[in-house]
Amino acid sequence: MRVSRFEDLLVWQKSIEISLTIYKLFAVNLDWGFKNQIQRASVSIANNIAEGFDRSSDKEFKRFLFIALGSASEVRSMNYLGFKLNYISIEEYNECNNQLIEISKMLNGLSRSLNRSEVKYL
């Protein structure tokens, strides 16, 4: 099955979900610098998947998937910091961390599948 829209990608859908979760968790947080950074990084995951999908080649898509992966790692790191600063509970931390690990695995898997399907770009 060929995907024709980035909105149909499960990894993009899950990236939107984690952004919504992050926005809700930190909605009332008064540490504006922290809040702004984690929210922007979470949105960057889905945005980079979308931007890469609509580029002209699988090579470009793969490049943006790696950028999205970097953003997911940034959110994971900030999520941990948020827990250590007592901004979120251990349960909230674990839920977000598990979602972010799943997204990272999906991004890696999608990237690997592009390697197999489009060898001409390597």
Side-chain angles (χ1 to χ4, degrees):
M1 180 182 103
R2 182 130 177 110
V3 176
S4 59
R5 306 172 337 132
F6 66 80
E7 293 94 334
D8 295 331
L9 293 169
L10 184 58
V11 69
W12 180 85
Q13 295 168 12
K14 291 197 174 282
S15 297
I16 291 295
E17 289 174 19
I18 194 65
S19 291
L20 293 171
T21 299
I22 293 294
Y23 267 81
K24 288 174 186 172
L25 278 177
F26 296 100
V28 296
N29 189 297
L30 298 179
D31 183 343
W32 302 110
F34 178 90
K35 175 181 175 175
N36 184 44
Q37 187 66 26
I38 195 168
Q39 288 175 339
R40 290 173 61 128
S42 72
V43 170
S44 182
I45 302 167
N47 286 349
N48 278 295
I49 294 167
E51 186 172 351
F53 185 87
D54 283 339
R55 292 290 176 136
S56 60
S57 70
D58 284 352
K59 183 178 180 180
E60 280 288 295
F61 186 24
K62 184 177 175 183
R63 184 170 71 89
F64 278 88
L65 291 176
F66 282 119
I67 295 168
L69 181 61
S71 294
S73 296
E74 180 179 358
V75 177
R76 281 180 61 201
S77 177
M78 295 198 71
N79 183 49
Y80 181 76
L81 179 59
F83 166 67
K84 293 305 254 181
L85 291 169
N86 295 313
Y87 293 164
I88 57 175
S89 69
I90 187 68
E91 293 81 15
E92 292 166 326
Y93 164 78
N94 285 331
E95 181 181 336
C96 283
N97 199 53
N98 291 338
Q99 289 176 23
L100 289 159
I101 289 169
E102 179 184 14
I103 289 167
S104 295
K105 288 177 181 178
M106 293 173 80
L107 289 167
N108 278 318
L110 182 53
S111 179
R112 280 193 306 276
S113 75
L114 291 173
N115 284 342
R116 289 190 293 270
S117 67
E118 293 294 334
V119 177
K120 66 182 179 180
Y121 291 115
L122 296 178

